[in-house]
Amino acid sequence: MSDTRMDPAQRTLWQKQNNLLYLGLIGIGTVLVQPFVTESDLDPSATVCVVAFAIAIPLLAVLSMLNQLEELHGTTLYSRAAGFAKGLGLLGAMTGVVAAFWHIHWLAGLGIVVSGLTAMVLYASLTRKVARQGMSEGTG
């Protein structure tokens, strides 16, 4: 997953984007779980939300710390364990967000799934376009 030949400026950009993503999801998770902390009896969607973020938040936190370590040393510390943690942390956070919106109303849950998938496709296609144009080095 990691390319050791990656331009240092590109690697720094990816690390900053990933860090923003990890810390943003930790913040979102903290806010979404708060209403359920004092509840003694959670419905299924609330339970899924709490459990998913209970798994995701520590993983996202350690990934953010690893990013800081990579940035400090100017290297990439990719391992299978880090890749697994990234996949599980992101999946847990996405599951938690969907479950929180589903708890409000099933249409809200469906809406966040559709808009999230649309956003991912849009980002992936635009990232490829920028890379093809040679602008991935931050030249404009």
Side-chain angles (χ1 to χ4, degrees), residues 7-26:
D7 176 45
Q10 180 68 31
R11 180 179 34 232
T12 300
L13 177 64
W14 279 104
Q15 288 169 336
K16 287 181 179 186
Q17 286 180 345
N18 283 339
N19 226 26
L20 179 63
L21 175 68
Y22 302 148
L23 295 175
L25 289 172
I26 290 169

Side-chain angles (χ1 to χ4, degrees), residues 21-45:
L21 175 68
Y22 302 148
L23 295 175
L25 289 172
I26 290 169
I28 289 168
T30 302
V31 169
L32 291 178
V33 168
Q34 276 183 340
F36 305 129
V37 171
T38 58
E39 295 294 321
S40 59
D41 189 31
L42 298 176
D43 70 356
S45 60

